[in-house]
Amino acid sequence: MNNAFQKAEPILQTLHRNGYQAYFVGGAVRDFLIGRPTGDIDIATSAKPEQVQELFEKVIPVGIEHGTVMVRYDEESYEVTTFRTEGDYHDYRHPDHVHFVKDIYEDISRRDFTMNAIAMGIDGDLIDPYDGLNAITKGEIETVGKPDDRFEEDPLRMMRALRFVSQLGFTLSSTTYQAIQQHAPLLENIAVERLSIEFEKLIQGHHASKAWPLFIHSNTDQHLPVFKEEPSLMRYCATKKWRALGDFAEALCIFHLFEPTFPIEYWVKEWKLSNKIKRKASLLVSSYNEWHVGNELWTIYKLGFELLSPFVRISNLMRAKDEIDIKTAKKMFEALPIHRREELSINGKDIRSWFSNHPPGPWIESMLVTIERLVIEGHITNEKEILKERVLQWNPQEED
């Protein structure tokens, strides 16, 4: 058992000492069995939430109405959920009610896919009533029970299935795939915020090239924002040698470059994304266009060190035959005469003082950008007197 599980063992030990059952469950168990790095450790227990609260010093009732609390232990957080079964899902997201049970087998029966329906004891023994380990060995995604039931309960599970194809490189079982084809229209009932979380995880997968054709052949793409307006978008994705991206902003940049008639602002609106994502995606688009018309130094500077890797991923996906080497890009950035505007030897106050008879306005920013670019591209050195001499050659009225 790896270090992540070992760190969590005291949680299980405490529950056991007090007469409760407790197991590791969920994605961490799956990834451990696959041999992937494990993420958050989730625990299922026969103890009810109030009993868990009594046993641990720091407990946050994050979803106590559904049996889940967050236990803080040794600077780590662990979701601890009471064994439960669930009622119908009339809102396609939450069960109408939950019933706490004493049996781990009943709890496992409510989970989405067999590979996620495995519990692991503190000794490493597995409880695997749905043959999830065999599904992992075969690299197959199969629902727990009838796929029609699982997808009607929560249609987001269809997106999760496709996301796991991208992340794990697994295939869909024939019954799972057929059910997705049949129930894809139910995705229209899912809040777009939930869709965006799964979609972002999908584009971060190393096997997204396996997922795009499944979207197309199951018509799932026709029930996603923007994609349903332009069927060629997903088909274009399927023609590319896809690379794992970092976040949704990078994906928006790619999709806009594929089909420029849909501006970044429209993607952000339809997928209900943040202004931060919009700003990043817009900068990546402008940087891509600047770079590929020959303005490489200015592009590197405007990106900054943190966005070099996202930019290289995007450019190399779009132009596989004209790849940019990330090490070269980083060396170019390091060699720049300045790395941010604050390092420029003059600022807006200087320019305003040199033209004290002219009212302040956009012309100051325009002058700064011009000077900045001249310095970056090596046309002038970053010395105050030299920059001042160049600034004084201009007529501010021409900048209004």
Side-chain angles (χ1 to χ4, degrees):
M1 199 174 295
N2 66 22
N3 289 336
F5 289 107
Q6 290 172 353
K7 286 189 69 175
E9 282 183 6
I11 307 293
L12 269 64
Q13 290 168 346
T14 299
L15 289 163
H16 289 167
R17 281 198 307 270
N18 287 274
Y20 303 112
Q21 301 173 54
Y23 300 90
F24 299 119
V25 293
V29 174
R30 176 199 67 227
D31 290 341
F32 170 68
L33 296 173
I34 292 173
R36 299 175 77 233
T38 54
D40 295 336
I41 303 293
D42 294 335
I43 295 167
T45 179
S46 60
K48 292 183 178 179
E50 59 271 18
Q51 293 168 327
V52 176
Q53 288 178 308
E54 292 174 358
L55 294 177
F56 299 96
E57 182 179 349
K58 296 180 181 179
V59 181
I60 306 168
V62 291
I64 197 166
E65 69 277 9
H66 295 115
T68 299
V69 296
M70 185 77 74
V71 174
R72 288 284 298 166
Y73 181 84
D74 195 21
E75 300 183 352
E76 298 288 345
S77 296
Y78 303 98
E79 274 197 7
V80 180
T81 302
T82 304
F83 298 159
R84 72 189 194 195
T85 58
E86 300 172 343
D88 294 332
Y89 286 66
H90 284 105
D91 67 352
Y92 295 106
R93 179 175 184 180
H94 298 112
D96 295 342
H97 54 268
V98 299
H99 296 292
F100 297 146
V101 296
K102 295 292 184 181
D103 187 359
I104 182 63
Y105 289 88
E106 286 188 80
D107 181 83
I108 286 175
S109 69
R110 70 180 173 82
R111 298 182 182 271
D112 52 6
F113 304 110
T114 60
M115 64 182 182
N116 297 332
I118 304 172
M120 184 169 68
I122 198 168
D123 54 3
D125 290 344
L126 301 179
I127 295 177
D128 183 18
Y130 296 98
D131 212 13
L133 184 58
N134 183 50
I136 288 172
T137 302
K138 293 192 300 182
E140 189 171 71
I141 299 167
E142 177 67 86
T143 61
V144 173
K146 296 179 180 179
D148 292 340
D149 294 341
R150 297 289 81 80
F151 296 150
E152 287 173 1
E153 287 169 350
D154 186 355
L156 188 70
R157 288 169 173 162
M158 293 183 280
M159 282 290 288
R160 282 171 57 80
L162 295 169
R163 184 251 289 185
F164 286 129
V165 169
S166 176
Q167 287 184 323
L168 306 178
F170 285 12
T171 59
L172 300 176
S173 72
S174 58
T175 55
T176 301
Y177 176 62
Q178 290 165 10
I180 290 175
Q181 285 182 305
Q182 180 180 348
H183 296 288
L186 291 178
L187 288 172
E188 303 274 0
N189 297 308
I190 300 299
V192 70
E193 293 89 346
R194 297 182 71 209
L195 292 173
S196 67
I197 290 171
E198 292 299 324
F199 197 76
E200 181 169 57
K201 292 178 181 178
L202 187 149
I203 58 96
Q204 293 169 332
H206 290 278
H207 306 278
S209 293
K210 294 183 65 174
W212 301 133
L214 296 174
F215 274 101
I216 297 165
H217 299 146
S218 65
N219 288 322
T220 306
D221 61 323
Q222 296 308 294
H223 303 283
L224 298 179
V226 187
F227 289 101
K228 61 185 176 185
E229 300 177 49
E230 183 49 70
S232 66
L233 264 170
M234 196 68 78
R235 290 198 293 270
Y236 199 83
C237 290
T239 67
K240 286 291 184 180
K241 185 179 179 181
W242 199 264
R243 300 159 188 258
L245 300 181
D247 58 22
F248 216 130
E250 294 178 35
L252 292 194
C253 177
I254 292 290
F255 298 146
H256 174 70
L257 292 171
F258 283 169
E259 184 46 74
T261 56
F262 293 100
I264 294 295
E265 292 77 11
Y266 187 69
W267 280 96
V268 168
K269 175 176 173 287
E270 293 299 299
W271 281 87
K272 295 187 178 179
L273 303 172
S274 68
N275 285 329
K276 181 179 179 181
I277 290 175
K278 180 174 71 173
R279 288 192 296 270
K280 180 177 178 180
S282 299
L283 177 56
L284 288 170
V285 168
S286 62
S287 297
Y288 178 88
N289 293 329
E290 285 271 6
W291 179 279
H292 291 289
V293 294
N295 299 323
E296 297 179 359
L297 292 176
W298 183 241
T299 300
I300 290 284
Y301 173 72
K302 293 294 289 182
L303 282 166
F305 189 82
E306 290 184 359
L307 289 185
L308 288 182
S309 292
F311 170 74
V312 168
R313 282 193 291 268
I314 290 164
S315 187
N316 290 349
L317 191 155
M318 293 296 296
R319 299 189 176 212
K321 295 181 180 180
D322 187 25
E323 288 201 357
I324 302 169
D325 179 62
I326 184 60
K327 292 181 179 178
T328 301
K330 289 179 178 179
K331 287 181 180 178
M332 288 174 65
F333 180 81
E334 291 167 359
L336 292 174
I338 61 171
H339 300 97
R340 57 185 184 277
R341 177 173 286 187
E342 290 74 16
E343 296 176 6
L344 203 62
S345 295
I346 64 172
N347 55 38
K349 290 182 179 180
D350 294 322
I351 294 176
R352 187 176 178 184
S353 70
W354 298 332
F355 294 92
S356 57
N357 294 327
H358 196 84
W363 62 273
I364 296 177
E365 172 65 18
S366 177
M367 280 191 174
L368 276 173
V369 170
T370 301
I371 287 292
E372 212 173 4
R373 189 156 187 167
L374 288 171
V375 169
I376 289 298
E377 294 178 347
H379 301 300
I380 191 171
T381 57
N382 185 32
E383 297 178 32
K384 187 168 185 176
E385 290 305 314
I386 294 176
L387 300 185
K388 179 180 180 180
E389 181 181 350
R390 176 58 67 94
V391 169
L392 291 175
Q393 294 175 4
W394 292 329
N395 180 357
Q397 292 179 350
E398 294 178 357
E399 301 290 336
D400 290 340

